Amino acid sequence: MTTAKLTRNQQLVLDRLAASPAALSAYELLDQLRDAGLRAPVQVYRALETLGQKGLVHRIESLNAYVACCAHDHQAAAGFAICDDCGEVTEFAFPASEKGLKSVAGETGFETRHMTVELHGRCAACASH
């Protein structure tokens, strides 16, 4: 995956995330990218921060890890199906329920800025075993 105006480190991190079916922590990224010249956690965290601001990666809160964005259309809230057995993460959008969730939160005066839903379970391959 090549995106214009990314630094070398940002591109390395994005490419590694895009190649992984599972979410990767910053330290897993660092370990996998040492041979490419990344030596310090701050290098990975800076790349992840910028990639997140550009909407190119998502943080999976429950895993404290990251995935490459596969939707690139953030008109709907991001959702993730996370397999607890193999670690595969699948991104999906759910525009219908986003409106309802924001409405319920808004009834208490809460102003939603960002929404992510994480579903944990088993992917089809793991469930069939």
Side-chain angles (χ1 to χ4, degrees), residues 84-98:
D84 293 325
D85 291 350
C86 72
E88 180 181 67
V89 177
T90 304
E91 183 177 351
F92 63 91
F94 59 99
S97 45
E98 176 185 15

PDB file of all heavy atoms in Angstrom, residues 84-98:
ATOM      1  N   ASP A  84     -10.977 -14.008  18.718  1.00  0.00           N
ATOM      2  CA  ASP A  84     -10.228 -14.256  19.951  1.00  0.00           C
ATOM      3  C   ASP A  84      -9.306 -15.463  19.843  1.00  0.00           C
ATOM      4  O   ASP A  84      -8.428 -15.641  20.692  1.00  0.00           O
ATOM      5  CB  ASP A  84     -11.186 -14.447  21.127  1.00  0.00           C
ATOM      6  CG  ASP A  84     -11.941 -13.177  21.463  1.00  0.00           C
ATOM      7  OD1 ASP A  84     -11.367 -12.080  21.324  1.00  0.00           O
ATOM      8  OD2 ASP A  84     -13.117 -13.280  21.876  1.00  0.00           O
ATOM      9  N   ASP A  85      -9.480 -16.288  18.811  1.00  0.00           N
ATOM     10  CA  ASP A  85      -8.630 -17.465  18.639  1.00  0.00           C
ATOM     11  C   ASP A  85      -7.389 -17.156  17.797  1.00  0.00           C
ATOM     12  O   ASP A  85      -6.265 -17.352  18.239  1.00  0.00           O
ATOM     13  CB  ASP A  85      -9.417 -18.617  18.012  1.00  0.00           C
ATOM     14  CG  ASP A  85     -10.462 -19.194  18.960  1.00  0.00           C
ATOM     15  OD1 ASP A  85     -10.464 -18.838  20.156  1.00  0.00           O
ATOM     16  OD2 ASP A  85     -11.290 -19.992  18.498  1.00  0.00           O
ATOM     17  N   CYS A  86      -7.583 -16.653  16.566  1.00  0.00           N
ATOM     18  CA  CYS A  86      -6.450 -16.437  15.662  1.00  0.00           C
ATOM     19  C   CYS A  86      -5.996 -14.977  15.601  1.00  0.00           C
ATOM     20  O   CYS A  86      -4.934 -14.685  15.071  1.00  0.00           O
ATOM     21  CB  CYS A  86      -6.776 -16.940  14.260  1.00  0.00           C
ATOM     22  SG  CYS A  86      -7.971 -15.918  13.367  1.00  0.00           S
ATOM     23  N   GLY A  87      -6.802 -14.059  16.120  1.00  0.00           N
ATOM     24  CA  GLY A  87      -6.417 -12.655  16.136  1.00  0.00           C
ATOM     25  C   GLY A  87      -6.792 -11.859  14.903  1.00  0.00           C
ATOM     26  O   GLY A  87      -6.516 -10.664  14.828  1.00  0.00           O
ATOM     27  N   GLU A  88      -7.409 -12.501  13.915  1.00  0.00           N
ATOM     28  CA  GLU A  88      -7.800 -11.784  12.703  1.00  0.00           C
ATOM     29  C   GLU A  88      -8.756 -10.646  13.048  1.00  0.00           C
ATOM     30  O   GLU A  88      -9.653 -10.799  13.868  1.00  0.00           O
ATOM     31  CB  GLU A  88      -8.472 -12.741  11.724  1.00  0.00           C
ATOM     32  CG  GLU A  88      -8.899 -12.054  10.437  1.00  0.00           C
ATOM     33  CD  GLU A  88      -9.583 -13.019   9.480  1.00  0.00           C
ATOM     34  OE1 GLU A  88     -10.689 -13.477   9.806  1.00  0.00           O
ATOM     35  OE2 GLU A  88      -8.991 -13.299   8.441  1.00  0.00           O
ATOM     36  N   VAL A  89      -8.558  -9.494  12.400  1.00  0.00           N
ATOM     37  CA  VAL A  89      -9.418  -8.330  12.609  1.00  0.00           C
ATOM     38  C   VAL A  89     -10.031  -7.944  11.269  1.00  0.00           C
ATOM     39  O   VAL A  89      -9.314  -7.758  10.289  1.00  0.00           O
ATOM     40  CB  VAL A  89      -8.625  -7.141  13.185  1.00  0.00           C
ATOM     41  CG1 VAL A  89      -9.525  -5.920  13.332  1.00  0.00           C
ATOM     42  CG2 VAL A  89      -8.004  -7.508  14.521  1.00  0.00           C
ATOM     43  N   THR A  90     -11.354  -7.831  11.235  1.00  0.00           N
ATOM     44  CA  THR A  90     -12.064  -7.429  10.026  1.00  0.00           C
ATOM     45  C   THR A  90     -12.787  -6.123  10.302  1.00  0.00           C
ATOM     46  O   THR A  90     -13.530  -6.009  11.277  1.00  0.00           O
ATOM     47  CB  THR A  90     -13.089  -8.505   9.610  1.00  0.00           C
ATOM     48  OG1 THR A  90     -12.395  -9.749   9.452  1.00  0.00           O
ATOM     49  CG2 THR A  90     -13.778  -8.134   8.315  1.00  0.00           C
ATOM     50  N   GLU A  91     -12.563  -5.133   9.447  1.00  0.00           N
ATOM     51  CA  GLU A  91     -13.207  -3.829   9.602  1.00  0.00           C
ATOM     52  C   GLU A  91     -14.544  -3.824   8.866  1.00  0.00           C
ATOM     53  O   GLU A  91     -14.670  -4.387   7.781  1.00  0.00           O
ATOM     54  CB  GLU A  91     -12.297  -2.744   9.027  1.00  0.00           C
ATOM     55  CG  GLU A  91     -12.848  -1.347   9.198  1.00  0.00           C
ATOM     56  CD  GLU A  91     -11.906  -0.256   8.689  1.00  0.00           C
ATOM     57  OE1 GLU A  91     -10.739  -0.561   8.356  1.00  0.00           O
ATOM     58  OE2 GLU A  91     -12.346   0.898   8.635  1.00  0.00           O
ATOM     59  N   PHE A  92     -15.531  -3.170   9.470  1.00  0.00           N
ATOM     60  CA  PHE A  92     -16.826  -2.997   8.817  1.00  0.00           C
ATOM     61  C   PHE A  92     -17.422  -1.654   9.214  1.00  0.00           C
ATOM     62  O   PHE A  92     -16.965  -1.008  10.151  1.00  0.00           O
ATOM     63  CB  PHE A  92     -17.782  -4.156   9.166  1.00  0.00           C
ATOM     64  CG  PHE A  92     -18.115  -4.249  10.633  1.00  0.00           C
ATOM     65  CD1 PHE A  92     -19.219  -3.585  11.163  1.00  0.00           C
ATOM     66  CD2 PHE A  92     -17.331  -5.011  11.482  1.00  0.00           C
ATOM     67  CE1 PHE A  92     -19.512  -3.667  12.511  1.00  0.00           C
ATOM     68  CE2 PHE A  92     -17.620  -5.103  12.832  1.00  0.00           C
ATOM     69  CZ  PHE A  92     -18.721  -4.428  13.353  1.00  0.00           C
ATOM     70  N   ALA A  93     -18.435  -1.213   8.513  1.00  0.00           N
ATOM     71  CA  ALA A  93     -19.123   0.045   8.820  1.00  0.00           C
ATOM     72  C   ALA A  93     -20.561  -0.257   9.192  1.00  0.00           C
ATOM     73  O   ALA A  93     -21.147  -1.217   8.714  1.00  0.00           O
ATOM     74  CB  ALA A  93     -19.088   0.965   7.602  1.00  0.00           C
ATOM     75  N   PHE A  94     -21.145   0.572  10.051  1.00  0.00           N
ATOM     76  CA  PHE A  94     -22.534   0.374  10.449  1.00  0.00           C
ATOM     77  C   PHE A  94     -23.240   1.726  10.591  1.00  0.00           C
ATOM     78  O   PHE A  94     -23.491   2.202  11.676  1.00  0.00           O
ATOM     79  CB  PHE A  94     -22.646  -0.467  11.730  1.00  0.00           C
ATOM     80  CG  PHE A  94     -21.944   0.133  12.911  1.00  0.00           C
ATOM     81  CD1 PHE A  94     -22.642   0.852  13.858  1.00  0.00           C
ATOM     82  CD2 PHE A  94     -20.591  -0.014  13.074  1.00  0.00           C
ATOM     83  CE1 PHE A  94     -22.004   1.410  14.947  1.00  0.00           C
ATOM     84  CE2 PHE A  94     -19.943   0.544  14.159  1.00  0.00           C
ATOM     85  CZ  PHE A  94     -20.653   1.249  15.090  1.00  0.00           C
ATOM     86  N   PRO A  95     -23.588   2.343   9.476  1.00  0.00           N
ATOM     87  CA  PRO A  95     -24.186   3.684   9.524  1.00  0.00           C
ATOM     88  C   PRO A  95     -25.537   3.733  10.223  1.00  0.00           C
ATOM     89  O   PRO A  95     -25.857   4.721  10.871  1.00  0.00           O
ATOM     90  CB  PRO A  95     -24.311   4.074   8.060  1.00  0.00           C
ATOM     91  CG  PRO A  95     -24.262   2.788   7.312  1.00  0.00           C
ATOM     92  CD  PRO A  95     -23.439   1.843   8.133  1.00  0.00           C
ATOM     93  N   ALA A  96     -26.342   2.699  10.142  1.00  0.00           N
ATOM     94  CA  ALA A  96     -27.683   2.754  10.732  1.00  0.00           C
ATOM     95  C   ALA A  96     -27.631   2.831  12.249  1.00  0.00           C
ATOM     96  O   ALA A  96     -28.298   3.646  12.874  1.00  0.00           O
ATOM     97  CB  ALA A  96     -28.492   1.540  10.294  1.00  0.00           C
ATOM     98  N   SER A  97     -26.825   1.997  12.873  1.00  0.00           N
ATOM     99  CA  SER A  97     -26.795   1.988  14.327  1.00  0.00           C
ATOM    100  C   SER A  97     -25.977   3.143  14.892  1.00  0.00           C
ATOM    101  O   SER A  97     -26.158   3.514  16.040  1.00  0.00           O
ATOM    102  CB  SER A  97     -26.290   0.656  14.863  1.00  0.00           C
ATOM    103  OG  SER A  97     -25.165   0.218  14.181  1.00  0.00           O
ATOM    104  N   GLU A  98     -25.104   3.750  14.079  1.00  0.00           N
ATOM    105  CA  GLU A  98     -24.333   4.891  14.558  1.00  0.00           C
ATOM    106  C   GLU A  98     -25.274   6.021  14.962  1.00  0.00           C
ATOM    107  O   GLU A  98     -25.114   6.621  16.028  1.00  0.00           O
ATOM    108  CB  GLU A  98     -23.367   5.373  13.472  1.00  0.00           C
ATOM    109  CG  GLU A  98     -22.615   6.630  13.880  1.00  0.00           C
ATOM    110  CD  GLU A  98     -21.740   7.190  12.786  1.00  0.00           C
ATOM    111  OE1 GLU A  98     -21.888   6.804  11.620  1.00  0.00           O
ATOM    112  OE2 GLU A  98     -20.907   8.034  13.116  1.00  0.00           O
TER     113      GLU A  98
END
